[in-house]
Amino acid sequence: MSGATLGTFIVIVVYILGMVGIGIWFSRKNNDVNDFYLGGRKLGPLVTAMSAEASDMSSWLLMGLPGVAYLTGIADAGWTAIGLGVGTYFNWLIVAKRLRRYTVAAGNAITIPDFFSNRYRDKSHALLGISALIIVIFFIPYTASGFAACGKLFSNLFGISYIPAMVISAVIIVGYTALGGFLAASTTDFIQSIVMTLALIIVVLFGVQTAGGLDVVMDNANALAGYLSLTSIHDAAANTAGSYGFINIVSTFAWGLGYFGMPHILLRFMAIEDEKKLTLSRRVASIWVVISMAVAIFIGIVGYSMSKSNAIETLSGADSETLIIKIAQLLSNHGFLAIIFAGVILAGILACTMSTADSQLLAASSSISQNILKDVLKIKISEKGTMLAARLTVVVIAVIAVFIASDPNSSVFGIVSFAWAGFGGAFGPVMLFSLFWRRTNRNGALAGMISGGAMVFIWKYLVRPIGGAWNIYELLPAFLVASACIVIVSLLTKAPEQEILDEFDSI
C-alpha cells in the first residue's frame, strides 16, 4: 500500500470511528422505542434539514450524477436534478408541518404505517400490515445497494476483496445504528452532509485547476454536440446530439414525486422538536440540495476536461461513476495536505452511502419489530424486550441485505431507481390524500397503496420494455394510477366517521 493510499485509508478509518462513537454516545439516550425510532421528537431544525437530505442523496450524488453528466452532458442529469429539487421543496412546504402535527394527534404515531393505521382508525390492521410489508420489500434491497456501494469503494481503493469489504462496511453501519437508533442516525447524517459538502468543494476546485481553468472546461464542453443543452443528449461514440424529448423530460422530472412517499425522509418531519422551525429546515434543505446537485453535475463536466488533458483516464459506461474516486486518487499524489483532502473526498462518498443505509435500516426495522410483530401479530413484549427486538431486527435485516449484496456485479443505481419508484407510487399519493383530502377513507387508502405498488412492477417489467412512448419511468404511471384509485374507491365506499373528520379539521 503506497503512502498516499495509506494516508487516505487512515482518514477514512478516523471518520468511521467517529460515526461509531456517536452511536455509542446516543445508545445511552434511548429509553424506549419512541426514542429509538423517532428520537423522542427532539431534532433541531438544522439536523432535521441536513439529515433528511443526506439520507436522501446516497452515493448517487457523488457517483451517479457526475457519471451521467460526464458521459452524456447535462440533459439527463439536469432534468433529474430539477425534478428532485422541486420535489424536495414542495415536500418540505406542504407535507412537513402538517405531517408533524397529524402524527402527534393520530395516536402519537412513530412510524409511517402507524400513521396510516391511526389516521383511518383501521381496526383490521390491513393498512398497517401492508404498508409495513411494502417498506420491507423495497428497503431491504435498497439497503443492500448501500452495502454494495461501500464494498465496491473499499475494494477499488485498497485492493480488498469485495465480500470482506462489503461485510465490514455493513458491520460498521449496523453497529452505530443498532446502538444509537434514530438520534445516532440523524446526527451522523448531519455530519455526513458536511463531509459530502466539503468533498464537492474540494473536487471542483482541484478539478478546475487541473483541467486548465474554468475557460478551458467550458470551451471543451461547448465543443461537444448537445453537451450543455437541456433538450439534447450527447452521444460520445459519434460526437453527435440526440433529441431529449418531452417524454424523456416528463419521465425524468417525475423523480421528484418520489419524495412524498419516502419513509426515511418523512420520519425527519415527524421528529423535529418544534414544527415552527420547519420553515428554517425547508430553506436550508432546499438550498443545499439545489447547490449540491448543481455542483455534482458540474463535476461531470470538469471530469471530461480532465480526461481530455490526460490528467485522468477516459471513462466509459459504468466506470464513469468512479470519476470522483479517480480525481481523489490523483489529488492524493500532491503531498500530505492533499492526502487529507483526498481522504475527505472518499469519506464523502462513504458518507453518502452510510447516511442512506442507516436510515433505511431503521425504517425497515420499525416496520417489522413495531408494526408487524407488536401491532399486527399482537406479540406482547416488555419495554426492555421491545428495545432488544428493535436492535435485533436491525441486525437481521442487515444480514439479509448482505446476502443480497453478495453479487459484486449487482446494479446499485437500478435497485435505487426501482425502490424509489416503489415508495413514491405506493406511499406518495396515500400520504398526500391523507393530509389534504378529508373524504379519503380507509378503503381508498388501501386501494391506492396496493395499486401503486403493483403498478411499479407491472410498468417496469411488462409495459416499459415495449419502448417508444411507453418508455416512461414507472413512478409516474404508478403515482397516477394510485391517485385515481384513492379517489374512485373513497367516493364509492362509506364516508369517514365524524371522529376522523373532526381530527382532520383540527389539523
Side-chain angles (χ1 to χ4, degrees), residues 24-341:
I24 295 172
W25 170 260
F26 279 108
S27 66
R28 300 176 298 175
K29 297 180 179 294
N30 290 315
N31 299 315
D32 53 35
V33 289
N34 184 41
D35 288 337
F36 188 78
Y37 284 130
L38 209 58
R41 301 187 194 266
K42 299 173 185 175
L43 289 192
L46 292 180
V47 175
T48 300
M50 300 309 294
S51 67
E53 301 316 316
S55 67
D56 161 33
M57 287 291 115
S58 75
S59 56
W60 173 85
L61 177 66
L62 292 185
M63 297 178 75
L65 203 58
V68 170
Y70 176 91
L71 288 179
T72 63
I74 69 171
D76 203 22
W79 282 112
T80 301
I82 292 171
L84 291 174
V86 172
T88 297
Y89 178 78
F90 278 100
N91 202 27
W92 282 96
L93 180 66
I94 67 175
V95 171
K97 184 177 293 186
R98 187 169 291 208
L99 180 63
R100 169 63 172 82
R101 190 181 304 158
Y102 215 150
T103 51
V104 173
N108 196 29
I110 62 173
T111 68
I112 298 302
D114 276 340
F115 169 64
F116 288 143
S117 182
N118 295 350
R119 158 72 172 82
Y120 294 104
R121 307 297 194 272
D122 182 20
K123 297 178 181 179
S124 71
H125 295 304
L127 273 175
L128 187 73
I130 291 176
S131 55
L133 190 60
I134 288 173
I135 287 176
V136 173
I137 288 173
F138 288 111
F139 258 158
I140 288 182
Y142 206 154
T143 304
S145 73
F147 292 166
C150 288
K152 291 177 182 178
L153 175 63
F154 285 124
S155 179
N156 289 332
L157 284 176
F158 308 118
I160 306 172
S161 297
Y162 170 77
I163 296 294
M166 184 267 294
V167 171
I168 291 171
S169 303
V171 169
I172 293 167
I173 296 170
V174 169
Y176 73 75
T177 304
L179 285 171
F182 186 83
L183 283 174
S186 296
T187 304
T188 53
D189 289 354
F190 173 68
I191 295 171
Q192 286 159 352
S193 70
I194 296 173
V195 176
M196 290 154 62
T197 303
L198 291 174
L200 288 168
I201 294 171
I202 294 170
V203 170
V204 167
L205 295 178
F206 176 72
V208 170
Q209 181 187 26
T210 305
L214 185 60
D215 291 342
V216 174
V217 170
M218 299 312 297
D219 287 343
N220 287 334
N222 278 314
L224 298 176
Y227 200 75
L228 297 181
S229 171
L230 282 171
T231 57
S232 300
I233 190 163
H234 176 69
D235 183 349
N239 193 22
T240 58
S243 174
Y244 199 80
F246 179 74
I247 291 178
N248 286 328
I249 292 174
V250 171
S251 178
T252 309
F253 188 80
W255 271 78
L257 293 173
Y259 279 109
F260 301 119
M262 292 297 133
H264 55 300
I265 297 173
L266 297 172
L267 284 173
R268 264 62 182 188
F269 301 161
M270 296 162 57
I272 194 167
E273 185 175 19
D274 184 357
E275 68 175 55
K276 295 178 182 178
K277 296 179 181 178
L278 281 167
T279 300
L280 175 60
S281 298
R282 181 183 75 241
R283 292 169 181 168
V284 171
S286 300
I287 292 171
W288 185 82
V289 163
V290 170
I291 293 176
S292 62
M293 288 193 295
V295 172
I297 293 172
F298 183 62
I299 287 172
I301 299 171
V302 172
Y304 169 74
S305 286
M306 295 180 71
S307 294
K308 189 175 177 64
S309 65
N310 295 319
I312 60 173
E313 62 186 273
T314 300
L315 305 173
S316 60
D319 289 339
S320 65
E321 293 189 349
T322 65
L323 172 62
I324 286 186
I325 297 176
K326 301 297 183 185
I327 295 175
Q329 290 173 325
L330 177 64
L331 174 61
S332 67
N333 296 322
H334 289 72
F336 176 76
L337 188 60
I339 291 174
I340 302 298
F341 287 155

Side-chain angles (χ1 to χ4, degrees), residues 341-393:
F341 287 155
V344 171
I345 294 171
L346 297 173
I349 298 174
L350 188 61
C352 288
T353 306
M354 291 172 67
S355 63
T356 303
D358 58 22
S359 300
Q360 293 161 350
L361 273 173
L362 276 177
S365 169
S366 66
S367 295
I368 294 176
S369 66
Q370 186 71 17
N371 300 135
I372 294 178
L373 295 181
K374 193 172 181 180
D375 298 330
V376 176
L377 299 181
K378 300 294 183 182
I379 298 176
K380 295 183 179 180
I381 313 175
S382 65
E383 196 64 47
K384 186 176 180 180
T386 302
M387 284 294 298
L388 178 61
R391 290 189 165 109
L392 287 177
T393 306

Side-chain angles (χ1 to χ4, degrees), residues 397-417:
I397 290 171
V399 170
I400 299 172
V402 164
F403 178 78
I404 294 173
S406 60
D407 179 11
N409 297 315
S410 57
S411 171
V412 173
F413 181 78
I415 296 173
V416 170
S417 172

